[in-house]
Amino acid sequence: VHRTTEEYRRKLWKDAQEKEEEVRENIKIIEQQNSTITNQRGIISSLSREIKHSAARLKALATMIKNLETHKADLEQEIKKLNRDLAAGKISKEEADRKLSQINADIKKTEEKILDKTEKLKIAESKLHDAEQRKAELQRKYLTKQAVPTTTRPVATPNK
């Protein structure tokens, strides 16, 4: 079918406007995706800081528990020494009872602290695990969105 030059130009003009609209729509989509990616980067960064903080907290709690357990073992050794001193006649029964009462009170406080720190350790482990999972999930989504091209080029369509 033969077309006039004017018809041909109108058709080209219409095709060009359609392609420009397509490009504008693609740009909007890309800008939205870039915004989402930027937000995800911020969240991932925040989660990374949270994970680092949680890991440090875990280490600190584990150290506290270890130190408390060492302190408890030291107190138990003091009881043994106290019993040896009592048996050897180095101290009186009243003095041994007084010291034993004080040591047992210290052991009880230490055990309470160990329980408290152990509970906090479990909570911290759970928070760390949750943050690591959230970060991994976001990174998977982020990597999927990264595969989207940052620019689009309209594909030329043949004229009829």
Side-chain angles (χ1 to χ4, degrees):
V1 176
H2 182 71
R3 292 186 281 186
T4 65
T5 305
E6 186 61 31
E7 289 173 333
Y8 179 70
R9 286 185 179 161
R10 271 189 294 228
K11 173 73 171 122
L12 284 178
W13 179 257
K14 182 182 173 193
D15 289 348
Q17 287 183 324
E18 287 173 1
K19 291 299 176 187
E20 285 178 5
E21 180 58 30
E22 200 177 306
V23 168
R24 281 192 292 276
E25 288 175 19
N26 287 341
I27 288 171
K28 285 180 188 177
I29 291 169
I30 290 168
E31 287 172 350
Q32 290 170 343
Q33 289 175 342
N34 284 341
S35 175
T36 300
I37 289 169
T38 300
N39 289 340
Q40 287 178 343
R41 281 181 184 155
I43 293 168
I44 289 170
S45 176
S46 174
L47 286 170
S48 293
R49 284 189 301 276
E50 184 179 332
I51 289 168
K52 185 177 178 181
H53 176 74
S54 292
R57 180 153 173 75
L58 283 178
K59 185 176 179 182
L61 286 166
T63 300
M64 286 181 214
I65 291 169
K66 181 182 172 208
N67 290 342
L68 288 166
E69 288 171 345
T70 300
H71 179 65
K72 181 182 171 189
D74 290 346
L75 291 171
E76 289 168 347
Q77 287 300 317
E78 280 186 48
I79 290 174
K80 289 179 183 177
K81 182 182 181 300
L82 191 63
N83 287 331
R84 282 194 307 268
D85 288 350
L86 180 61
K90 292 183 180 178
I91 59 171
S92 69
K93 171 81 170 130
E94 294 77 26
E95 186 179 353
D97 287 344
R98 184 182 54 78
K99 287 184 178 181
L100 184 60
S101 174
Q102 184 179 3
I103 292 170
N104 282 329
D106 283 349
I107 288 175
K108 185 177 179 184
K109 284 180 190 175
T110 302
E111 287 172 341
E112 288 171 1
K113 287 179 183 178
I114 290 171
L115 286 175
D116 177 59
K117 299 302 180 203
T118 302
E119 194 60 35
K120 288 179 180 177
L121 181 67
K122 287 178 187 175
I123 292 168
E125 286 172 340
S126 175
K127 284 183 178 181
L128 175 61
H129 179 70
D130 290 348
E132 287 172 337
Q133 282 188 323
R134 287 191 322 258
K135 181 181 175 185
E137 183 179 325
L138 275 176
Q139 285 176 321
R140 279 192 299 275
K141 286 180 184 179
Y142 171 73
L143 291 174
T144 302
K145 290 197 184 236
Q146 282 290 45
V148 175
T150 55
T151 59
T152 59
R153 304 178 108 185
V155 177
T157 56
N159 291 331
K160 294 183 180 177

